[in-house]
Amino acid sequence: MKSNFIYHPLSFSSLPEAITEKLKLLDRIKQPVEQLFYTGNLKLLESKAIIAIIGSRSPNPYAKALSAQLASKLAKAGASIISGGAMGIDIIAHQNSLPSTIMISPSSLDQIYPPTNAKTIQEIAKKSLILSEYEKAYNPHKYSFLMRNRIIIALADAIIIPYADLKSGSQNSANVALKLDKKLFTIPHRLGESNATNALLSAKKMEAIYDIDEFITSLGLQEMQNDEILDFCSHMPSFEEASLRFGQKILEYELEGKIVRENGYVRVK
């Protein structure tokens, strides 16, 4: 499916240092990324934390519900959720973390893939960030999804795999994460379900999330509640947007040290 996205090559020389440092993580993977194209808000790469939520295209209802909760609460705590736009866990993670979400596309940005998720992907392009290593007219092949996943893992500070089957792409992603010394997390499952994550838990290569709020705190994040301004600023809007919405209150929050203004954008301190 063709897109109408306006996208650009990433010029590393013109990027803020924080974003450049984050993108340098892509040099650590086995097949380094030679080029990247983007549409949307690059400021999301400067989030407090970038947390990957990836997994099966056919999760059970329990994994769907917990994935939605995790994505929503982490986004409210100032994290950006990174995933691959696929059916199942991926798109649930994106939908519940908008606008604090980053999608790595397996296709070039003149294509929308998968077309079944077009509505959400168009919303991500408008409000959030999509990255691709393909310039144009590239439709994904079988190996493209593994290539996409290596970028997700490299950019993430931690990886949550709520549901994954044995010998799946998600299990491959977990192996990439382990080689890069990234922390892996999942939700507890019954025997016979999510066999890949259960195997990783058994091998002590993955940690289980038993309490979402405690998990968020363990990452050095804290969900912001009952403060509309901090919630809005956690998505790093422009100072102009924040001022138009909240007026003088934005300056008060800045003076109180609750928020910081950087390069015309606002973030929670």
Side-chain angles (χ1 to χ4, degrees):
M1 178 179 176
K2 295 285 186 183
S3 81
N4 59 357
F5 303 156
I6 298 173
Y7 61 96
H8 314 276
L10 263 182
S11 174
F12 285 44
S13 60
S14 62
L15 292 172
E17 184 178 354
I19 295 179
T20 301
E21 288 301 310
K22 174 61 72 173
L23 292 174
K24 282 181 180 178
L25 295 171
L26 298 175
D27 294 333
R28 294 179 57 200
I29 52 184
K30 188 175 181 180
Q31 294 169 294
V33 177
E34 295 181 0
Q35 59 182 359
L36 275 175
F37 301 86
Y38 78 96
T39 184
N41 180 14
L42 285 173
K43 295 289 290 183
L44 289 172
L45 291 170
E46 295 182 272
S47 301
K48 287 182 183 179
I50 296 178
I51 309 297
I53 300 181
I54 56 174
S56 172
R57 289 174 171 79
S58 303
N60 60 19
Y62 161 75
K64 289 180 181 179
L66 268 292
S67 297
Q69 286 185 44
L70 281 160
S72 176
K73 283 177 169 282
L74 282 162
K76 287 177 181 177
S80 284
I81 302 304
I82 189 168
S83 198
M87 295 290 290
I89 296 292
D90 288 24
I91 205 66
I92 290 169
H94 289 307
Q95 289 167 338
N96 287 277
S97 58
L98 276 162
S100 298
T101 198
I102 301 167
M103 174 181 160
I104 308 300
S105 178
S107 68
S108 53
L109 297 179
D110 55 355
Q111 313 288 324
I112 293 180
Y113 189 90
T116 48
N117 290 340
K119 183 177 179 181
T120 299
I121 292 171
Q122 287 167 337
E123 195 172 0
I124 296 169
K126 182 179 179 181
K127 298 179 180 178
S128 306
L129 175 65
I130 306 180
L131 298 171
S132 171
E133 59 185 318
Y134 309 109
E135 183 173 4
K136 58 183 178 180
Y138 184 85
N139 284 305
H141 304 282
K142 187 174 182 179
Y143 61 83
S144 305
F145 304 105
L146 298 179
M147 298 293 281
R148 171 201 62 191
N149 291 351
R150 84 196 198 286
I151 297 177
I152 295 172
I153 299 305
L155 292 177
D157 297 305
I159 297 93
I160 303 171
I161 305 178
Y163 194 104
D165 297 315
L166 293 170
K167 299 181 180 179
S168 62
S170 299
Q171 186 174 35
N172 179 274
S173 295
N175 293 335
V176 173
L178 291 169
K179 288 176 182 176
L180 294 175
D181 294 322
K182 303 270 185 171
K183 284 197 170 184
L184 285 169
F185 299 92
T186 189
I187 55 176
H189 284 275
R190 295 176 295 191
L191 293 177
E193 297 178 340
S194 193
N195 288 326
T197 62
N198 276 343
L200 287 163
L201 283 173
S202 178
K204 296 181 170 52
K205 294 180 179 180
M206 181 176 257
E207 297 179 37
I209 300 168
Y210 295 107
D211 184 295
I212 293 177
D213 294 330
E214 286 182 3
F215 169 68
I216 289 172
T217 301
S218 75
L219 295 176
L221 302 169
Q222 185 173 358
E223 187 176 358
M224 289 168 285
Q225 299 175 339
N226 303 319
D227 194 315
E228 186 183 3
I229 295 176
L230 291 180
D231 188 27
F232 183 79
C233 292
S234 71
H235 305 308
M236 290 186 291
S238 68
F239 182 78
E240 183 180 4
E241 287 178 296
S243 295
L244 284 171
R245 181 159 179 172
F246 299 108
Q248 186 69 23
K249 276 286 185 184
I250 287 297
L251 292 175
E252 292 176 15
Y253 271 51
E254 186 177 18
L255 288 171
E256 291 169 5
K258 295 179 179 178
I259 60 173
V260 177
R261 195 185 328 183
E262 292 179 348
N263 301 318
Y265 290 85
V266 178
R267 66 173 176 82
V268 177
K269 189 169 181 180

